[in-house]
Amino acid sequence: MKEEYKNLEQIDNYLSGKLSRKEKKTFEELLSNDTGLRKELEQIRLLKNIIKVKGREELKNRLNNIHDKILNKKISEPSRKSSLNELLDSIFYKYFNVYESLSVARSSKKESIYDLAIKAYNEENYSKAVKLFKKILKDSQKNPSVLFYCGISLLELGKHNEAKNKFMKIIKLSDNPFIEKAEWYLGLSYLKGYNVDKAIKVFEGIDKDNSDYRTARNILKKLKDI
Amino acid sequence: VRIINDTKLVINLKRGNEKEVNNSLEYLYKLNFPVIERFITANSGSSEDAKDVFQDALIAFYQNLKHKDLVLTCSISTYLYSVSRNLWLKKLKRSKNLTKIEDFEDFIAVDDEEQVSKEALKVLESVFSEISEKCIKVLTYFYFDNLSMKEIGRLTGYKSEQAVKNKKYKCMQELLRIISSSRNELILRELIS
């Protein structure tokens, strides 16, 4: 892993012209002798270009919002909303972190769907994880851990409504180890759906003995400032 | 309208959080768009043309600021005006509508923005819908906004630079996986190069 990180960093610096002349020369020599590295360079170049186009599109969206806000005063309500939403998004991203990875107990040789789902979750392949978690939920709707990790994966993918339902189910099940965490993530799901009032309500309901109590207080302060 | 000076705007655009960046963009938009709209509509363009051109100019300004250590030798307004003007004159020239524009000069050069087709954008959207929003943030902060690992950490809630590096690495792996499993890899490769 470390070696790969180093390659990535060097390629990033190379592509953005951040290497000194000497470093650049050394790196190019390395490249000419290493087909693997060349391939990696091309992959990263492709990713970088794609991400830049994406970034440009997002910026363009922001400018369109600004344009509407300034020029069409009549429909300024939704645009005012959109800049508020951006603010809520930034709070969300600051606080939303994926719950720590799980370890998969490898007792049997054959991997169960659950193992595969957790594996996908750990690899941050959330769309795959969601598919697998949902498969499991078809048979056992009340499995709190599956509901929980499914919810987080959904939230990662921006599907806050579906995520919200999963966390609510966990809380309704009562008496399971995921309730406290589910409350926290339920609040975040509301936040992601820009439902500030509900989010505030959920965060306010988080108890003092919940490990997320202090973070909940911090986020509340920010939400009430808006 | 409160007057914000150029230095402050540059600082906010370069290092600000989302809100500060947004406010600066809005300020520049309010201040400069009407002037450019007047120029373009007086030169056989529509308001819609003015919007496109001005936004391209603003994006070019933003990009140059973030990536090229742009040193301004004039006010931001002058800069945006000249870039918009040149972009528009180039467009006119291309569509051969050029009739009576005398003084066409490139006094601020801007890269001709790569035109990405609607098709490619669609493929792109579908690719990005499969990765987490946090990944999109981290990756665009790094490659589009050219922010340091430290700054990205500050904006996304990661405690250490190493944590951001790890996240970025994972996100890239994930993106690569989605792209290569997508039937549309070739479209992306051809159109975004």
Side-chain angles (χ1 to χ4, degrees), chain B residues 3-19:
Chain B
I3 295 169
I4 310 174
N5 70 31
D6 280 6
T7 320
K8 179 89 181 131
L9 285 167
V10 167
I11 291 171
N12 279 350
L13 287 172
K14 273 189 150 173
R15 302 270 170 266
N17 60 28
E18 302 244 331
K19 200 178 167 187

Side-chain angles (χ1 to χ4, degrees), chain A residues 53-63, chain B residues 136-137:
Chain A
V53 175
K54 173 72 177 166
R56 197 172 188 279
E57 285 304 300
E58 304 254 295
L59 181 55
K60 203 146 181 149
N61 279 340
R62 277 164 95 171
L63 294 180
Chain B
I136 298 176
K137 282 276 164 201

Side-chain angles (χ1 to χ4, degrees), chain A residues 94-105:
Chain A
K94 207 169 165 84
Y95 285 92
F96 175 58
N97 272 311
V98 165
Y99 194 64
E100 65 209 51
S101 301
L102 309 144
S103 54
V104 180

Side-chain angles (χ1 to χ4, degrees), chain A residues 4-5 12 48 50 54 56 62 64 67 69 86 93-94 96-97 124-125 156 158 192, chain B residues 22 26 29 51 55-56 113 124 132-134 143 154 156 166-170 174 177:
Chain A
E4 286 163 327
Y5 279 20
D12 278 339
K48 180 178 175 171
I50 289 174
K54 173 72 177 166
R56 197 172 188 279
R62 277 164 95 171
N64 279 331
H67 184 95
K69 182 178 168 187
E86 269 162 32
Y93 291 118
K94 207 169 165 84
F96 175 58
N97 272 311
E124 303 187 11
N125 183 350
E156 264 284 344
K192 189 74 199 75
Chain B
N22 238 27
E26 192 177 321
Y29 213 106
K51 180 181 168 184
Q55 290 192 356
D56 281 345
E113 277 310 325
L124 202 72
S132 72
E133 298 194 18
K134 195 136 190 170
Y143 288 110
R154 185 169 59 82
T156 51
N166 294 349
K167 183 69 184 171
K168 172 171 170 282
Y169 180 79
K170 278 187 176 172
E174 176 71 358
R177 191 193 58 74

Side-chain angles (χ1 to χ4, degrees), chain B residues 158-175:
Chain B
Y158 285 104
K159 299 275 181 310
S160 71
E161 284 178 47
Q162 193 55 46
V164 181
K165 276 185 197 173
N166 294 349
K167 183 69 184 171
K168 172 171 170 282
Y169 180 79
K170 278 187 176 172
C171 293
M172 291 187 73
Q173 295 295 314
E174 176 71 358
L175 192 56

Side-chain angles (χ1 to χ4, degrees), chain B residues 1-166:
Chain B
V1 182
R2 195 162 57 96
I3 295 169
I4 310 174
N5 70 31
D6 280 6
T7 320
K8 179 89 181 131
L9 285 167
V10 167
I11 291 171
N12 279 350
L13 287 172
K14 273 189 150 173
R15 302 270 170 266
N17 60 28
E18 302 244 331
K19 200 178 167 187
E20 287 160 343
V21 169
N22 238 27
N23 288 344
S24 309
L25 289 173
E26 192 177 321
Y27 179 80
L28 286 174
Y29 213 106
K30 256 188 214 156
L31 198 64
N32 296 290
F33 180 69
V35 184
I36 283 145
E37 193 182 25
R38 227 171 296 138
F39 168 74
I40 287 177
T41 48
N43 285 283
S44 42
S46 65
S47 290
E48 200 54 29
D49 291 327
K51 180 181 168 184
D52 287 342
V53 166
F54 178 65
Q55 290 192 356
D56 281 345
L58 200 48
I59 292 173
F61 169 65
Y62 182 86
Q63 284 282 72
N64 283 337
L65 202 62
K66 294 254 182 180
H67 286 268
K68 295 186 181 154
D69 278 328
L70 177 73
V71 179
L72 279 172
T73 52
C74 55
S75 72
I76 299 178
S77 295
T78 307
Y79 182 95
L80 289 173
Y81 183 77
S82 340
V83 173
S84 303
R85 189 170 174 279
N86 283 344
L87 284 174
W88 180 240
L89 296 184
K90 262 188 202 168
K91 257 190 189 171
L92 278 185
K93 213 178 177 186
R94 237 179 270 142
S95 62
K96 286 181 191 159
N97 264 343
L98 197 69
T99 42
K100 52 178 179 203
I101 290 141
E102 317 86 39
D103 52 345
F104 177 28
E105 42 165 351
D106 258 320
F107 91 76
I108 294 171
V110 174
D111 304 340
D112 240 339
E113 277 310 325
E114 65 266 45
Q115 288 299 319
V116 183
S117 73
K118 287 232 161 66
E119 191 191 9
L121 286 181
K122 252 190 190 162
V123 175
L124 202 72
E125 276 314 308
S126 80
V127 165
F128 279 100
S129 72
E130 282 191 55
I131 85 171
S132 72
E133 298 194 18
K134 195 136 190 170
C135 272
I136 298 176
K137 282 276 164 201
V138 169
L139 294 176
T140 52
Y141 277 150
F142 187 85
Y143 288 110
F144 182 76
D145 300 292
N146 202 24
L147 297 178
S148 69
M149 293 294 177
K150 202 173 163 189
E151 286 165 322
I152 298 174
R154 185 169 59 82
L155 292 171
T156 51
Y158 285 104
K159 299 275 181 310
S160 71
E161 284 178 47
Q162 193 55 46
V164 181
K165 276 185 197 173
N166 294 349

